[in-house]
Amino acid sequence: MNTALRIVVADDNPVVRAGLTALLSSHEDITVVAEATNGHEARAAARDHRPDVILLDVRMPGVGGIEVLPHLVRTAPVMMLTYSGESETVREALRRGAVGYLVHGEFTADELVAAVRDIRRGGPPRLSPTAAASLTEANTQLPTPTGNSPEPLSQVQPDVGQSSSYRSGFQLSRREAEIMDLIAAGMNNQQIAAACFISEKTVKNHINRIFAKLHSTSRAEAAAKWLGTAPGSHPGRS
């Protein structure tokens, strides 16, 4: 029989902590074993309770989430759960070992519960839309999940910043454009499904429509056209 998933919630806002604890504890397979209001308390809670997952805010008094993150990932997987969606903060959290980054207001209660369960099973990184967009804006790739030592974020296409003028003519829907950004960032279907909180089958359906609109037969070809690096990639040109 599986033991309950043990979680530490670290956030300086007492209302957020209480809400998260009540939400997560309402599920029989999840237990919040400790709460923390800053990085020092989070580190002590991780050491004393050895949780399965740590939910960590970015901005807390004293030692914040980014500062304590490298210490916490030695004990348990850490998912950032915060109001802070700045691009550099997202990238730095992933560099330092976070296995996911969710921005408040961009996920449902059920999606949060699914995310923490997936982390325990070693699933792909979970990113809410703002966090996913931060990677594509900076032209970076998700670190490969390798336990407590994620690989550094790496460059994908050097000319992505020059590509925005190409995109409007492709007539992709908002969701298709989001998925195309993630493809260009190097994500596979499983990672895209996790980032967008949709099934892999839905991802495949979107990709089929994207390929048709971009007149492409492969991810590489579609990405090159999307980023404006392929010859004749401007919409309307053959």
Side-chain angles (χ1 to χ4, degrees):
M1 182 176 179
N2 291 332
T3 57
L5 194 162
R6 296 162 52 82
I7 295 179
V8 166
V9 175
D11 195 299
D12 64 315
N13 187 322
V15 175
V16 172
R17 287 199 314 276
L20 289 172
T21 298
L23 165 65
L24 295 168
S25 299
S26 68
H27 297 267
E28 293 183 357
D29 63 328
I30 299 176
T31 300
V32 176
V33 294
E35 297 180 11
T37 64
N38 57 49
H40 282 305
E41 292 182 7
R43 191 174 181 182
R47 181 187 63 240
D48 295 343
H49 295 277
R50 313 300 292 186
D52 299 302
V53 178
I54 299 171
L55 300 181
L56 183 65
D57 190 17
V58 168
R59 294 192 175 94
M60 296 181 290
V63 178
I66 298 297
E67 290 79 11
V68 76
L69 184 53
H71 303 283
L72 297 179
V73 297
R74 298 171 187 167
T75 302
V78 178
M79 182 164 66
M80 310 307 293
L81 192 62
T82 178
Y83 286 101
S84 305
E86 295 85 354
S87 296
E88 183 53 40
T89 301
V90 174
R91 295 193 296 272
E92 188 62 22
L94 295 174
R95 288 190 192 101
R96 294 189 177 207
V99 297
Y101 198 110
L102 301 184
V103 178
H104 287 296
E106 297 186 348
F107 57 89
T108 67
D110 288 343
E111 288 167 347
L112 174 60
V113 171
V116 296
R117 286 171 175 160
D118 280 353
I119 289 173
R120 186 190 206 186
R121 292 192 290 263
R126 287 277 187 168
L127 302 176
S128 60
T130 295
S134 296
L135 297 187
T136 57
E137 286 171 5
N139 201 19
T140 54
Q141 192 172 32
L142 272 175
T144 301
T146 54
N148 292 335
S149 302
E151 296 178 4
L153 296 175
S154 56
Q155 292 282 337
V156 199
Q157 292 285 349
D159 298 321
V160 66
Q162 303 173 15
S163 65
S164 58
S165 62
Y166 290 101
R167 299 183 178 183
S168 60
F170 286 122
Q171 299 184 336
L172 268 59
S173 69
R174 182 176 179 180
R175 174 63 95 181
E176 289 166 352
E178 178 184 2
I179 289 174
M180 192 59 239
D181 277 335
L182 299 180
I183 290 173
M187 286 193 189
N188 60 33
N189 288 2
Q190 184 183 33
Q191 291 172 325
I192 293 171
C196 297
F197 295 106
I198 56 179
S199 69
E200 286 189 58
K201 181 179 179 180
T202 300
V203 172
K204 291 177 182 177
N205 290 338
H206 281 303
I207 290 175
N208 287 337
R209 288 192 289 271
I210 290 168
F211 281 7
K213 291 180 180 181
L214 269 61
H215 303 290
S216 301
T217 58
S218 70
R219 298 169 88 93
E221 182 182 5
K225 290 184 177 180
W226 185 243
L227 297 174
T229 59
S233 59
H234 195 289
R237 296 180 186 174
S238 57

